Amino acid sequence: MPRKAGNRWKLHGTLIALALGVLGAPHLITAAPLDLLDTPAALPDPAEESGQNFPGSAFFFAQGAFDPVPGAQAARSAHVLTLAQGSAAPAMAFRGLTALDSYRALNCLTSAIYYEAANEPEEGQRAVAQVVLNRVRSPLWPNSICGVVYEGSERTDYRCQFTFSCDGSMARAPDLRAWARARRVAEQALAGQVYRPAGLATHYHTLAVRPPWSASLQPVAVIGAHIFYRNPGFNGTPAAFRIAYSGRETQSGPSRRIWPARPIAPADAFVLPFANPAPASGQAVPAVPSQPADALPESTIRPEYRNSGRPLV
């Protein structure tokens, strides 16, 4: 009998030990992860930090998204990715011949910066301003700031050079703080501050699209949400940007629309309204055949706008 009692106590002791183990095990299991939280195993992903995010920022954190050419100088900015080694535009101040010319130049450049890059970091806005001024110095574009900004704005087929000038964006009232910021960047650019990362770029587009003309140009840099390009050959060298600024600004906003929103009739298919009496009451107006807007005779298009929206060949 004593031997059986001893075995019974051993069995009870084993059961009690197992019960205590089951009760204490969860505390031991949860303690280890809580201790590990104090020392993270990996650094946080900068792409997930709100302060490091901006439109197009994913391209800066993606491995191998862009491959800079050998010798390209690295930009000292988290918003700039240099893709090619190249010269910057020659420095010069853009001064109007009169106070009105200077005012118009500042207003046109501010509009381009605001409507093209209002939400961009300062680097992105300075790059847009540099593209406008590069075009002014090139013989391939108008010789005035407003002429460059509003080139092709008379069209209604969205093929103007800067889309905001013909797509209705300017109907929205600008945010005053953002406008003041864009104006400050424009003032600095007109005073002669060259934004070197943009180099001799004369074209750009957002990272969300890839227009067909981009394949014929040389990428310069990704700045903010845009990728910037320069022309190949001589037109992409400093020697091609030696045209002096005219100082004359003959317009202060988009051009008057000469490209109708609806198809027009051929010249020989109608007579001017004032040359014929109005149809009698109840009389049907004869139908007029139409043609697409692209069929407008060349004589109705100003020479400097005939290639608007078309990539250079």
Side-chain angles (χ1 to χ4, degrees):
M1 293 296 294
R3 189 174 183 178
K4 291 183 179 180
N7 292 335
R8 188 181 299 113
W9 281 111
K10 288 182 180 181
L11 178 60
H12 289 169
T14 301
L15 294 176
I16 293 172
L18 290 174
L20 292 175
V22 171
L23 294 175
H27 297 284
L28 296 176
I29 294 173
T30 57
L34 291 176
D35 292 340
L36 291 176
L37 291 178
D38 294 336
T39 56
L43 295 176
D45 185 355
E48 301 298 330
E49 298 179 8
S50 59
Q52 297 294 326
N53 274 327
F54 55 90
S57 61
F59 283 84
F60 289 87
F61 300 111
Q63 295 294 328
F66 294 103
D67 295 321
V69 298
Q73 183 178 3
R76 299 179 180 178
S77 172
H79 302 141
V80 179
L81 178 62
T82 304
L83 299 179
Q85 183 72 28
S87 303
M92 71 165 289
F94 293 78
R95 298 187 178 90
L97 296 179
T98 67
L100 178 59
D101 292 323
S102 295
Y103 171 78
R104 285 176 171 174
L106 176 59
N107 189 66
C108 290
L109 186 56
T110 301
S111 296
I113 296 170
Y114 176 84
Y115 289 104
E116 292 286 299
N119 296 324
E120 290 283 281
E122 182 173 329
E123 293 90 340
Q125 295 195 343
R126 294 183 65 187
V128 169
Q130 191 63 57
V131 165
V132 173
L133 300 184
N134 285 349
R135 288 191 172 194
V136 174
R137 299 293 304 275
S138 170
L140 301 177
W141 286 277
N143 192 221
S144 67
I145 294 169
C146 293
V148 166
V149 171
Y150 294 113
E151 184 177 7
S153 59
E154 75 282 358
R155 302 174 64 136
T156 58
D157 56 359
Y158 304 109
R159 296 182 68 183
C160 46
Q161 293 293 319
F162 293 88
T163 310
F164 78 91
S165 69
C166 65
D167 68 355
S169 296
M170 299 186 73
R172 302 191 300 269
D175 177 78
L176 295 182
R177 289 186 179 181
W179 180 266
R181 177 173 173 244
R183 184 184 178 91
R184 182 178 67 253
V185 172
E187 290 173 340
Q188 295 171 352
L190 293 175
Q193 291 190 16
V194 175
Y195 187 57
R196 296 187 176 278
L200 299 173
T202 52
H203 298 74
Y204 63 85
H205 63 78
T206 67
L207 295 170
V209 300
R210 183 172 177 80
W213 52 259
S214 63
S216 63
L217 304 178
Q218 297 178 353
V220 174
V222 179
I223 305 175
H226 295 96
I227 180 170
F228 292 79
Y229 300 84
R230 69 169 180 258
N231 279 314
F234 173 78
N235 291 326
T237 64
F241 294 84
R242 299 295 182 181
I243 303 299
Y245 170 50
S246 67
R248 294 292 297 174
E249 301 290 348
T250 58
Q251 65 184 113
S252 57
S255 303
R256 183 174 63 88
R257 296 295 178 89
I258 66 171
W259 290 69
R262 297 179 180 178
I264 66 170
D268 57 354
F270 67 93
V271 182
L272 295 177
F274 53 79
N276 290 286
S281 177
Q283 182 179 353
V285 178
V288 179
S290 62
Q291 66 177 11
D294 283 342
L296 282 175
E298 287 289 327
S299 60
T300 64
I301 306 173
R302 294 171 60 181
E304 61 267 33
Y305 295 141
R306 286 177 182 169
N307 292 322
S308 296
R310 302 171 185 171
L312 297 174
V313 179

